[in-house]
Amino acid sequence: MSLQITLLVALTIGAVWKTVDLVRSAGDRLLRLLVACLWLLALGHALSLTVVTKALDAATTLGVSKVAYNALVMSGLFALVSFFVYATRGDGPAARRRFRIDGVLLAATLLAMLVLMIVTPAALRGHTLSTPNITEAPIAWFYLVGNVYFVYAYLVSGLWALRYSVPASRSLTVALWIITLGLAGLTFTSVNRAIWVLIRYNGGPPLKGLNAINWPISNASFVLVTLGMCLPAVVQLIGAVRSWLLHRRLYRELDPLWSALHRAFPELELERPENGRFRFGRTHRGFYRRLIECRDGLVRLSPYIAIAAKGEDVSRCTPAELAGYIRFALTLKPGEEDPGNALNAVSVAIPEGSDMNSDVRGLVAVSNALVESRA
């Protein structure tokens, strides 16, 4: 029970996380398939809980929960197979043809299982693999048909996962190998279950040893598949948190430079944070806003920085030197500038590289130097 709940929680978290991504990218076919897979498997695991199974059967009729569980899980596996097919082959005729074939196969399997459940005597529809009535043809074939589809879905998903490679994403590559390993284990257990049913159906003894092996392997395999499917979302979450923490730190480190320039040019502020507070949801926008305002402020102050430098090249001076010029320039700037006597801007604090990170490092260094020069 605890393992089922753990898997259910993990699948639900993954499904919610990717659903949020899907809202932002509604046209992404692969993301739609992945979200469908996660939600269907999560609902299937929820339905496998004894309390849910009993409640559904009590509200409907015996056997409905078993058919519904298989329909959800098989549909989730169909979505998983389709995800890998489209991810590997692209949205071409071959992928669409494979999608239709797999859809027909799923529909035929579910129809066959539904018919087999209907022709099973009402009193026996609550059967399990261990039920003595496994020798009844409808019951035996219900499990055989289901396990044949499971073998196909697990095996094909694993093979497509091996073909799908993303060189630029190490975490996704690791996730695919974890999923493949879990699918291989589930394929093995599904074959074993089919063998179990065939032996019992033909009057053979129940192989308790086979069932004892199957149970832990099946649980471990489900854990691996769930872990692999949730790993990209976890890595994405960790990356988002790290990005938030970095931008929060840089925002604060830019504060000395921003405050000095803001006092000189308050009109350059793009947007005042609500209640003056730096909130979690505003972190990234606040950081980029502050970065732009610092750069704009330096451009406006640059004529006075050039005067303060007395002919020195302020485009390549050290952060400490530039901090000193900024302090002097702030004293030179008049309270109200004469629009008719505007000074020409000069290049200040040129980044060492052409990327934004270089610009951020340079401005942060100047901001820190302002604090040190104040001490």
Side-chain angles (χ1 to χ4, degrees), residues 169-351:
S169 177
R170 180 176 299 178
S171 63
L172 185 53
T173 301
V174 172
L176 288 171
W177 278 103
I178 293 174
I179 290 173
T180 302
L181 183 60
L183 291 171
L186 291 172
T187 302
F188 174 78
T189 57
S190 295
V191 171
N192 281 351
R193 279 195 298 271
I195 294 173
W196 164 284
V197 173
L198 283 172
I199 292 175
R200 293 291 310 281
Y201 179 56
N202 287 287
L207 302 178
K208 295 182 179 180
L210 185 63
N211 192 42
I213 294 174
N214 246 30
W215 182 251
I217 293 178
S218 179
N219 287 340
S221 298
F222 266 119
V223 170
L224 288 174
V225 172
T226 304
L227 176 63
M229 295 181 69
C230 295
L231 182 59
V234 172
V235 172
Q236 183 182 0
L237 175 60
I238 293 173
V241 172
R242 290 179 62 184
S243 176
W244 181 85
L245 292 173
L246 174 63
H247 284 175
R248 185 170 180 267
R249 177 175 62 81
L250 294 174
Y251 178 94
R252 291 178 173 178
E253 289 186 357
L254 285 172
D255 185 68
L257 176 61
W258 178 86
S259 297
L261 295 171
H262 179 263
R263 285 191 295 270
F265 307 102
E267 68 275 9
L268 292 180
E269 186 174 7
L270 299 176
E271 177 186 353
R272 181 175 296 277
E274 184 180 349
N275 299 328
R277 297 181 62 185
F278 190 59
R279 299 189 174 187
F280 183 88
R282 305 171 64 91
T283 300
H284 301 297
R285 287 190 291 123
F287 163 70
Y288 289 116
R289 184 178 61 243
R290 175 155 291 189
L291 184 65
I292 294 170
E293 290 169 359
C294 285
R295 180 52 72 183
D296 289 346
L298 284 176
V299 171
R300 289 283 299 274
L301 189 65
S302 65
Y304 304 102
I305 294 176
I307 296 173
K310 298 178 180 179
E312 296 292 332
D313 184 6
V314 294
S315 65
R316 295 296 179 184
C317 59
T318 65
E321 291 172 338
L322 183 56
Y325 297 147
I326 289 173
R327 284 195 173 281
F328 191 15
L330 290 171
T331 65
L332 296 175
K333 176 192 172 297
E336 292 185 9
E337 296 178 293
D338 183 2
N341 191 27
L343 301 174
N344 293 326
V346 299
S347 298
V348 177
I350 302 299

Side-chain angles (χ1 to χ4, degrees), residues 31 33 43 53 56 116-117 122 129 137 151 181 198 217-218 235 285 304 335 343 374:
L31 196 52
L33 288 170
L43 291 172
T53 299
L56 181 58
L116 288 167
M117 180 62 74
L129 281 171
V151 169
L181 183 60
L198 283 172
I217 293 178
S218 179
V235 172
R285 287 190 291 123
Y304 304 102
L343 301 174
R374 186 188 305 163

